[in-house]
Amino acid sequence: MEQYVIKGGNPLVGEVEIGGAKNAALAILAASVMTDETVTIENLPDVRDINVLLQAMEEIGVKIDRKDRHTVVINASGIQTLLVENEYIKKIRASYYLLGALLGKYKKAEVALPGGCNIGSRPIDQHIKGFRALGANVRIAHGRVIAEANKLSGRHIYMDVVTVGATINIMMAAALAEGRTIIENAAKEPHVVDLANFLNSMGANIKGAGTDVIRIRGVEKLHKTEYSVIPDQIEAGTFMFAAAATRGDVTVRNVIPKHLESITAKLIELGCEVEESDDEVRVVSSGPLSHTHVKTLAYPGFPTDMQPQITTTLALSEGTSIVTESIFENRFKYVDELAKMGANIKVEGNTAIIDGVLKYTGARISAPDLRAGAALVIAGLAAEGITVVDDIYYIERGYEDFDAKLRGLGAQIEKAESEKDIKKFQLKTG
Ligand code: UD1
């Protein structure tokens, strides 16, 4: 198992290039199987979840040609099976996007039940409800979701909860259904919009993505396209909070500032200065950080995927802050790890009450999931002394070259594979 070993205490300073959005790319890759023509996707992040999905697609007969680290050329004309049950696919949440994509194109799909981060119960009832509304027969057997239909017909579907995954899945299946589908109470996240743009570039007819009513007129088939994935809002936000927590001065480059508005607003409440330009945002954290309250919400609200990073920063801010997690109920597990570093946080149900402390102290901690793992690295960067973050496997699911990008901002962080490596780092950094 690899670890990050960090000598904290340096403000992060400089510029960092943000990669393509993992969650948009996952949906777009899955959707690329919906045409027999060749699709080129650029600005893919080179992270584990993406590579697992590509491997699973290859195993069912999709031709994948990795042109370079961030570009892939896909041809799905040779798909041999509609059963997706790769050993690793069960671990990623987005495996279920292949359900909507394959069901739309072939009217049949059989995909292992999705896994993903253990951040609370993650039902798929809304996905199933949507597929059924379109006319599919859906059942769960042998640990798989099996969906099949003679034909899919457009319908009016009202989502009971705002869900990104189900909105995306229904949008894919409906793109190749007969007639018109209306999804009400749809998710508005940037990756929902990016997928709609991608499908439209393949000839789909989808309107309203980015609002809570999406209208899809089914088409007979989709065609080739070339498409570049949007920048990763959460990767950008993570570096922005790393700047705040370390009292640094960081410019995140290649971003869409509009997607970062809820994050920017909170950083300003904390006392940071934030400067925006066309595709860059600069965060300067020079004075003391002040407390604030935050509640995670669907877009354009504050993202649940940024909750650990803001909590970690608020634990270093003056006064008492309250963070309410309203999307996933089990997303405060990392708080016990932060406590080892001196944080003073009390969790009651879906609320964390945070009494700010002056500093963290380095400790041996372990990443419980992807975003919490990144937040613990932020804590290590801000801490006095050495922090070792175990289980960085989770972090690598969603952050490309996280340690290298942080080193580019002046951080002292390295990957370690053994206790010997950790000792070496301790000696080197004094
Ligand atoms: C996606 C993101 C994840 C992010 C989350 C919320 C991907 C691969 N993952 O996850 O990083 O944290 O959006 O922004 O893009 N729900 C139901 N029934 C369903 C589906 C969801 O009740 O059928 C509930 C969930 O339990 C949760 C809420 O809806 O409380 C939102 O979940 P959803 O938006 O679907 O999250 P994911 O798509 O799994």
Side-chain angles (χ1 to χ4, degrees):
M1 272 288 185
E2 288 182 323
Q3 291 106 1
Y4 283 139
V5 49
I6 304 163
K7 167 91 188 282
N10 294 351
L12 296 187
V13 177
E15 297 184 345
V16 60
E17 195 79 28
I18 300 305
K22 168 185 84 86
N23 288 346
L26 288 167
I28 287 170
L29 286 178
S32 69
V33 308
M34 294 173 68
T35 174
D36 281 343
E37 296 182 18
T38 299
V39 169
T40 303
I41 301 166
E42 292 167 358
N43 204 29
L44 267 192
D46 185 11
V47 296
R48 195 166 314 210
D49 277 12
I50 295 289
N51 296 328
V52 167
L53 181 61
L54 284 172
Q55 192 190 334
M57 286 164 59
E58 212 160 25
E59 281 178 18
I60 62 167
V62 180
K63 204 165 153 277
I64 310 274
D65 181 5
R66 196 78 176 241
K67 284 286 171 211
D68 60 45
R69 203 173 171 201
H70 300 125
T71 310
V72 74
V73 177
I74 294 175
N75 186 289
S77 58
I79 286 187
Q80 291 137 3
T81 170
L82 302 176
L83 169 62
V84 186
E85 204 184 29
N86 169 294
E87 183 193 340
Y88 301 106
I89 197 82
K90 293 179 199 157
K91 298 196 179 135
I92 71 167
R93 189 75 193 150
S95 55
Y96 59 29
Y97 289 151
L98 286 170
L99 267 175
L102 294 172
L103 179 66
K105 186 178 177 198
Y106 298 102
K107 315 297 172 231
K108 180 166 174 28
E110 196 166 332
V111 179
L113 272 167
C117 280
N118 181 14
I119 51 179
S121 123
R122 299 183 82 170
I124 57 165
D125 57 301
Q126 298 301 304
H127 302 241
I128 294 176
K129 167 179 158 167
F131 294 149
R132 284 192 178 138
L134 296 174
N137 187 332
V138 188
R139 65 199 160 90
I140 295 179
H142 313 296
R144 299 181 208 132
V145 186
I146 304 160
E148 44 199 329
N150 291 329
K151 72 168 188 166
L152 295 176
S153 309
R155 280 284 296 276
H156 200 129
I157 302 169
Y158 191 93
M159 310 301 295
D160 300 323
V161 286
V162 178
T163 131
V164 175
T167 302
I168 284 179
N169 240 336
I170 296 167
M171 206 158 75
M172 289 199 279
L176 289 174
E178 279 177 28
R180 194 167 69 142
T181 298
I182 299 176
I183 308 175
E184 295 223 42
N185 200 23
K188 296 181 276 199
E189 266 69 0
H191 35 300
V192 173
V193 180
D194 210 32
L195 175 70
N197 289 341
F198 172 72
L199 287 169
N200 284 342
S201 79
M202 290 204 291
N205 184 344
I206 301 173
K207 295 197 172 113
T211 75
D212 52 12
V213 184
I214 301 180
R215 294 185 162 77
I216 304 151
R217 194 165 287 282
V219 296
E220 225 163 83
K221 60 183 196 155
L222 299 174
H223 56 67
K224 66 180 175 183
T225 187
E226 284 179 21
Y227 195 82
S228 180
V229 177
I230 51 164
D232 199 308
Q233 165 206 14
I234 306 300
E235 186 193 15
T238 301
F239 281 101
M240 289 161 76
F241 272 96
T246 61
R247 309 300 159 89
D249 178 350
V250 171
T251 301
V252 289
R253 300 184 52 204
N254 181 36
V255 298
I256 299 174
K258 172 86 190 145
H259 293 168
L260 299 170
E261 270 174 355
S262 64
I263 294 166
T264 300
K266 283 294 157 195
L267 284 166
I268 292 170
E269 282 176 35
L270 259 74
C272 298
E273 287 162 51
V274 184
E275 280 171 28
E276 282 180 18
S277 56
D278 281 356
D279 60 354
E280 292 183 359
V281 176
R282 178 178 175 200
V283 178
V284 184
S285 168
S286 44
L289 296 172
S290 26
H291 65 104
T292 189
H293 302 324
V294 58
K295 181 174 182 181
T296 61
L297 289 168
Y299 190 83
F302 191 86
T304 172
D305 284 357
M306 285 299 304
Q307 180 264 102
Q309 300 89 318
I310 193 171
T311 301
T312 298
T313 310
L314 287 172
L316 288 175
S317 306
E318 284 174 4
T320 302
S321 302
I322 296 175
V323 175
T324 308
E325 172 56 60
S326 75
I327 312 287
F328 294 112
E329 75 270 21
N330 197 10
R331 223 174 176 171
F332 282 121
K333 278 186 298 180
Y334 62 94
V335 160
D336 290 342
E337 303 300 291
L338 278 184
K340 293 180 190 162
M341 304 178 72
N344 188 354
I345 304 174
K346 196 167 154 217
V347 176
E348 280 178 10
N350 69 342
T351 303
I353 302 146
I354 306 159
D355 280 318
V357 294
L358 277 180
K359 59 175 191 318
Y360 287 131
T361 48
R364 182 138 194 170
I365 51 180
S366 124
D369 61 66
L370 164 60
R371 304 305 173 186
L376 293 176
V377 170
I378 295 180
L381 294 167
E384 198 180 84
I386 303 264
T387 295
V388 178
V389 182
D390 283 315
D391 293 338
I392 61 167
Y393 165 90
Y394 289 111
I395 302 174
E396 291 177 338
R397 289 182 51 180
Y399 291 88
E400 179 181 313
D401 297 341
F402 196 39
D403 53 332
K405 288 188 183 184
L406 288 166
R407 278 195 297 277
L409 296 170
Q412 289 182 283
I413 176 170
E414 269 173 30
K415 217 183 264 186
E417 279 174 22
S418 61
E419 296 305 314
K420 212 166 126 201
D421 287 349
I422 296 173
K423 282 262 153 24
K424 246 201 262 166
F425 179 86
Q426 279 170 330
L427 285 173
K428 196 170 82 184
T429 56

